[in-house]
Amino acid sequence: MKLSENLRKEWRIRVDYTNMTDKYLGEKGISPKTIEQNKKLAGAAHAYVSENRGKDELFMGWTELPYNQTEIVEDILGTAKDVRRKFEYFVVLGIGGSALGPIMAFNALCHLHYNDLPKSKRRGPKFYVEDNVDPVRMKELLDVIDIKKTCFNVISKSGATSETMTQYLIIADLLKQAGENVKDHVIFTTDAARGNLVKISKELGGVKSFVLGDGVGGRFSELSPVGLLPAAVLGIDIKLLLKGAAYMDKICSSPDLKKNPALICALLQYLSMQDGKNIGVLMPYSDNLRYVSDWYAQLWAESLGKNETLGGEKCNVGQTPVKALGVTDQHSQVQLYTEGPFDKVVTFLSVGSYKEKYPIPHGCENIPDVSFLGGHTMEELIQAENKATAFALTKAGRLNYTITLPVVNEFTLGQLLYLFELQTAYAGAMLNINTFNQPGVEAGKKATFALLGKPGYDGQKAELDGASPDEKYIV
Ligand code: PA5
């Protein structure tokens, strides 16, 4: 899609941080003086990210994804067309960074009941993401798909993740039992040369594969083939998604806090964390955007939750991401946000114009408590509730800010993803930590290997067995 400069501006997402400032929150807010005092820190974070962008050795390859995938995108589009022609079901096998992005984009940009639509109204095959190893879930997925008509996109950078490889073993076995050639039903998204999926591909005689580049970690991979292939299969305009990301990148090229939305968000979050705000709530007022919170939770938690600085000093930093949905959670969590401990920053995701307005009919004229709703639209109602919640939080002295997507489409989602990725990279630089590793996740993966008897993990198995407490407290 060709985008005019005017349309880009019209679809530009905006950050409104008025309700973070002391002008509106009083002493609980952040003062212009504090921001000024930390300008140098923000400038250094911006410089670090700008100077190191694209460097694989620092896991900063994701910054270039909007620009360096021209051929890959064409390959993805061709493959997606083929998948749509041949298959009725498309199943992603993956976990963490290899699953949350595809779920988010699917939910944001497809019909909310996509799989229930008749084939004629869907742009692609039915879509599922298996991001767990719950045996019930696996069995029940198999109840609703026809394996002979299914394409499985196995996504794993390492090809060594127990969950994903378990899923693969199961479907490969079932395909063989059904007399199918496994190779015809799988597409791999993995490392270029290393890992088990590369070996499996060779054994199967060359599986159609896409590469997850060296410098792109799982949680920063949505704009790589990890996210782009499933999106393309669903008929999502992946070129527009990448254009949105590039647009946000351009906006954020400025080190000026007043011009760079990702940098000001990172600084506000950093200052809040320094002030004990250990919880970051992300609250989209949009069902389409609800899984942005799951994707963001991994990005923010895994990137910033670290126990040592780059200099090797002990630190224990990070902020616990909490997922909420407007308006649903107004009737669940907002009481806590308004009156509970002062330990949170709430980020609202608002929508300027919903793709449906849905008029509320007049009725119940004798009951003013109900009839006042008639004549409005559901869009007006959800927007009013969003505004009202921000107002109530601000009145109660609670830090909150709003990111507004003028509309939800590929261009605005691309901007949002890139904004969050940059914000995370800047915040990590401010905290002086390694934003791109995940030793805590690796530790759990290794312990699982040991428990299930993977060769080479005998030492850890002995340690785990030895860690069994002498006395247990079980009620
Ligand atoms: O962000 C990350 O690196 C992790 O969440 C990984 O995506 C997740 O552990 C899956 O790893 P892999 O892609 O190697 O299977």
Side-chain angles (χ1 to χ4, degrees), residues 52-231:
N52 292 306
R53 56 178 301 143
K55 289 191 182 160
D56 284 349
E57 64 279 20
L58 293 176
F59 272 93
M60 295 269 296
W62 55 271
T63 58
E64 304 314 297
L65 293 173
Y67 312 105
N68 63 8
Q69 298 190 95
T70 313
E71 274 174 37
I72 297 166
V73 164
E74 291 312 319
D75 190 2
I76 287 174
L77 290 174
T79 307
K81 203 169 159 193
D82 226 30
V83 168
R84 282 201 296 269
R85 195 169 48 80
K86 288 193 199 146
F87 297 101
E88 294 200 6
Y89 306 90
F90 187 82
V91 178
V92 170
L93 305 182
I95 198 157
S98 300
L100 293 164
I103 296 171
M104 165 188 60
F106 169 54
N107 200 74
L109 301 172
C110 295
H111 191 287
L112 287 171
H113 298 284
Y114 174 89
N115 283 341
D116 298 330
L117 291 172
K119 200 174 170 183
S120 58
K121 294 208 166 154
R122 278 187 273 115
R123 287 178 294 179
K126 289 195 179 185
F127 183 79
Y128 301 92
V129 181
E130 277 305 281
D131 62 339
N132 203 352
V133 280
D134 183 327
V136 177
R137 180 165 171 172
M138 179 51 96
K139 166 72 180 61
E140 295 185 357
L141 170 76
L142 295 167
D143 287 343
V144 297
I145 63 169
D146 176 346
I147 197 153
K148 290 186 170 208
K149 295 178 182 162
T150 306
C151 175
F152 295 92
N153 184 195
V154 189
I155 308 180
S156 176
K157 184 166 175 117
S158 61
T161 304
S162 303
E163 295 87 344
T164 309
M165 297 322 292
T166 298
Q167 294 161 356
Y168 171 74
L169 286 171
I170 291 170
I171 65 99
D173 182 53
L174 287 173
L175 284 166
K176 279 181 213 154
Q177 281 181 39
E180 297 288 309
N181 188 347
V182 177
K183 187 183 148 190
D184 297 338
H185 285 266
V186 292
I187 299 175
F188 292 166
T189 306
T190 192
D191 191 82
R194 290 183 301 253
N196 299 316
L197 288 177
V198 176
K199 290 183 201 152
I200 296 170
S201 168
K202 275 188 198 139
E203 270 178 16
L204 293 177
V207 167
K208 175 69 192 164
S209 299
F210 288 94
V211 169
L212 179 47
D214 274 348
V216 184
R219 57 191 177 274
F220 286 84
S221 67
E222 174 52 17
L223 297 171
S224 78
V226 167
L228 297 183
L229 176 64

